[in-house]
Amino acid sequence: MDGLYPVDNSVLQYAEAKRELDLARYDAFILGPVDVAYQKDPTPRSPGSPEANFALTPRQMQTLKETFREEIERALTEDEGYALVTEPGPNVLRLDAFLIDLVVRFDTEATAGRNRAFTDSYGEVTMILELHDSQSGEILARVADRRDPTRGTYELVEVRPTFVRSDVTSMFRHWGTTLRERLDAVRAANLGGGAGGGTPLP
């Protein structure tokens, strides 16, 4: 047991936190490597099939990790937010990030040019973020959310690399913005006198 308790009415699909979560002293963060895992070993079937799971190329996998990091870092540091640092400290949170159960329903590179394809789903992925005290390693909170990045539309979307990158970036940006908003809300409550009773990560 890691001492975390489920948070009701979370903005994301799942959240758990220390019962007396106090983030008042944290104004900087370290973001560790982004781990990615497929839901099952990639075994492409017919593109667009619910059972299809294509492997990303090494370049695509690297881009996926870099884009996620960029959006989380951007959201946390913008508007005089948290400082991005490289060493633990008493004021530093460590964020561990995982993208798991990845499903890729199309080989986007194979759909370029004349090989056009349309879909209502590029695939799905679950994001898990864990917040730790950077010095002690104590886990403070964990959030999770599963999404399909395909843009919300009532029509089929053409599978183009540029469209896929844009929609995946928007999904990561949503996660980063949500995390920043929740961290700000908890810190504001703690700094305003809520530290004694603790504040959940909503």
Side-chain angles (χ1 to χ4, degrees), residues 129-198:
L129 275 174
E130 294 183 348
L131 279 63
H132 297 257
D133 179 89
S134 66
Q135 290 186 312
S136 68
E138 178 188 13
I139 187 168
L140 305 175
R142 180 184 295 116
V143 295
D145 196 57
R146 184 164 184 80
R147 284 183 178 264
D148 178 338
T150 317
R151 65 191 63 185
T153 175
Y154 294 105
E155 299 178 355
L156 295 179
V157 176
E158 184 174 359
V159 183
R160 290 188 186 179
T162 53
F163 290 173
V164 176
R165 284 195 296 269
S166 175
D167 290 349
V168 170
T169 299
S170 293
M171 177 178 69
F172 290 163
R173 184 169 299 140
H174 166 76
W175 282 334
T177 300
T178 301
L179 176 64
R180 170 66 184 276
E181 291 174 348
R182 297 304 91 206
L183 288 176
D184 284 354
V186 174
R187 287 192 73 237
N190 293 155
L191 291 168

Side-chain angles (χ1 to χ4, degrees), residues 115-135:
N115 300 317
R116 300 177 69 190
F118 296 84
T119 185
D120 60 358
S121 174
Y122 303 137
E124 301 172 63
V125 68
T126 297
M127 177 273 300
I128 299 176
L129 275 174
E130 294 183 348
L131 279 63
H132 297 257
D133 179 89
S134 66
Q135 290 186 312

